Amino acid sequence: PKEYGGTPPENCDAFHDLILSDEIARAGGGGATSSVLTSFNIGLPPVMKHGSKYLKDKVCKEVITGKAGLALAVSEPYAGSDVANIQTTATREGDYYIVNGEKKFITGGYLAKYLTTAVRTGGKGIKGISLLLIEADTPGVTRKRMKAQGYWSSHTTYITFENVKVPVKNLIGKENHGFMPIMENFNRERFNIAVSANRFARMCLEEAIKYARIRKTFGK
């Protein structure tokens, strides 16, 4: 939206999203692609779609205009992509949630100012999961950059939460109703990953053909 510093084209749809991801992927590096798209494609959408006006006013313009990064913190050391079984807890105490737990393989998490974080506020399973916006410089938040086998510029991160106080007003959507927004968000993330992977493969083929045409061996 324009009020948050955006310049939305008319009639923008998934086809335009495809073009954006495809062209950025021409750089040939997954880390570069992730660095450019992480905030907008996987970190910010839950706030834009389900966040209160307070949260939108707090982070959207700063993220959209490139002044701050926003990472999605869902995966954990023991739950991985099994979102229904995440173990990071958020216990309400008055006007705050007290957050404890760990997140792993968080793309863009090392430099992000904000974290869209999946937490358990209720019982087991999908009905006990919520989304919280956590400011990364809050006391109790520790971040360690991981040594990945690639995607270096995406700053893959291990994050630990130890008695982190998060205001209740930082709740994204409704308490214990965070699972579906996460799943909705994954749809777009997976779409962009598929588009990027396809372009990476085409770039590899293109480079191979270029090399084959100029390669000299056995005197030819």
Side-chain angles (χ1 to χ4, degrees):
K2 291 182 179 179
E3 62 266 32
Y4 295 127
T7 53
E10 294 183 7
N11 303 316
C12 185
D13 57 21
F15 180 68
H16 297 85
D17 210 20
L18 182 150
I19 294 172
L20 174 66
S21 295
D22 185 71
E23 292 297 334
I24 292 175
R26 286 182 185 273
T33 305
S34 295
S35 295
V36 173
L37 296 177
T38 293
S39 288
F40 308 115
N41 277 12
I42 66 174
L44 189 61
V47 179
M48 289 291 300
K49 190 170 183 179
H50 301 281
S52 63
K53 187 178 185 304
Y54 163 76
L55 288 180
K56 292 177 183 178
D57 291 345
K58 180 180 180 65
V59 306
C60 288
K61 189 168 186 177
E62 201 173 4
V63 172
I64 289 170
T65 56
K67 293 181 174 62
L70 199 165
L72 182 71
V74 174
S75 298
E76 297 183 354
Y78 308 105
S81 297
D82 186 7
V83 180
N85 288 313
I86 63 168
Q87 298 178 27
T88 296
T89 60
T91 305
R92 183 160 180 176
E93 294 185 5
D95 294 330
Y96 291 89
Y97 286 106
I98 306 301
V99 179
N100 284 281
E102 300 166 290
K103 299 293 180 180
K104 192 175 184 180
F105 298 120
I106 305 307
T107 303
Y110 194 69
L111 296 178
K113 182 176 180 179
Y114 304 105
L115 304 168
T116 298
T117 312
V119 296
R120 184 164 299 285
T121 49
K124 295 181 179 180
I126 65 175
K127 295 183 179 180
I129 295 172
S130 300
L131 279 173
L132 285 179
L133 182 80
I134 300 178
E135 296 187 51
D137 62 355
T138 305
V141 178
T142 304
R143 294 181 287 179
K144 181 179 180 181
R145 186 171 178 180
M146 298 176 65
K147 294 182 178 179
Q149 191 184 352
Y151 273 55
W152 294 341
S153 59
S154 71
H155 300 284
T156 305
T157 310
Y158 194 107
I159 305 175
T160 303
F161 302 101
E162 295 182 90
N163 296 319
V164 179
K165 292 182 67 175
V166 181
V168 170
K169 60 184 178 180
N170 281 26
L171 179 68
I172 301 171
K174 298 180 180 179
E175 186 175 276
N176 296 328
H177 286 76
F179 185 79
M180 287 311 297
I182 294 172
M183 293 299 106
E184 291 173 1
N185 205 47
F186 280 169
N187 287 336
R188 187 180 186 192
E189 179 182 357
R190 288 164 178 157
F191 173 74
N192 283 280
I193 289 172
V195 172
S196 298
N198 182 69
R199 176 53 61 186
F200 292 154
R202 291 186 176 202
M203 294 301 293
C204 288
L205 178 60
E206 184 178 323
E207 291 298 316
I209 292 172
K210 284 180 182 178
Y211 178 66
R213 285 175 174 166
I214 63 171
R215 178 173 180 259
K216 294 183 178 180
T217 184
F218 303 116
K220 298 181 180 180

